[in-house]
Amino acid sequence: MATNRTFTMIKPDAVQNGHIGNILAMITNGGFKIVSLKLTQLTVADAQEFYAVHAARPFYGELVEFMSRGPIVAAILEKDNAVEDFRTLIGATNPAEAAEGTIRKAYATSIGENAVHGSDSDENAAIEGAFHFAGREQF
Ligand code: CMP
């Protein structure tokens, strides 16, 4: 069942480069309501667990190192058709292929350091949101 919620992270590259405010503005201007929000940092073990689905990929070590190297912003977002609409707003994984007007077109620097995460399904949105937020932190 669609929950109309998705999960996002503003990744360490975008936080380090000072883009938190502009990215949150693109998210809210895109019609998403923020229902959970925090500045936090993943440990290596957290990043390994969060990205366990990619453990067999050649880029897994690089991904874990990158995602744990500095602070991130984690958020749960609400909107009709949230998962699909948010993936449209963030653009393609590879910023070279991201459409004009997308967050990754504006702020991603490479396929690995691509500024933002967006859940790929309602099921994963719920799992990923619960990874970062207790029930009382979800409004
Ligand atoms: P995201 O879709 O948020 O979650 C999986 C991440 O793996 C993806 O963003 C990229 O940051 C990273 N990733 C995907 N493909 C590659 C790749 N070919 N090389 C390095 N990192 C990648």
Side-chain angles (χ1 to χ4, degrees):
M1 191 188 76
T3 60
N4 293 331
R5 288 190 171 193
T6 192
F7 172 77
T8 187
M9 291 180 288
I10 302 176
K11 297 186 180 184
D13 58 329
V15 172
Q16 190 172 1
N17 292 330
H19 300 315
I20 293 174
N22 287 337
I23 290 174
L24 289 178
M26 288 180 80
I27 290 171
T28 52
N29 289 340
F32 293 86
K33 179 182 170 192
I34 295 170
V35 298
S36 300
L37 184 72
K38 73 169 85 166
L39 185 66
T40 184
Q41 183 164 356
L42 297 172
T43 64
V44 168
D46 289 333
Q48 286 171 333
E49 184 182 341
F50 188 90
Y51 286 109
V53 67
H54 295 303
R57 302 287 192 92
F59 56 81
Y60 180 64
E62 186 186 326
L63 175 61
V64 167
E65 194 279 327
F66 163 58
M67 286 302 299
S68 59
R69 83 170 183 213
I72 60 162
V73 172
I76 298 175
L77 308 174
E78 192 170 78
K79 182 184 183 296
D80 287 347
N81 203 34
V83 167
E84 191 182 337
D85 285 2
F86 192 67
R87 288 177 74 83
T88 300
L89 178 64
I90 66 179
T93 304
N94 184 348
E97 295 164 9
E100 279 303 331
T102 63
I103 295 173
R104 283 174 172 157
K105 179 71 177 180
Y107 298 116
T109 50
S110 69
I111 192 167
E113 303 204 3
N114 61 3
V116 281
H117 168 81
S119 303
D120 63 4
S121 65
D122 288 324
E123 184 188 7
N124 283 337
I127 293 168
E128 292 169 2
F131 185 93
H132 284 273
F133 296 101
R136 63 182 167 75
E137 297 174 306
Q138 300 182 28
F139 295 93

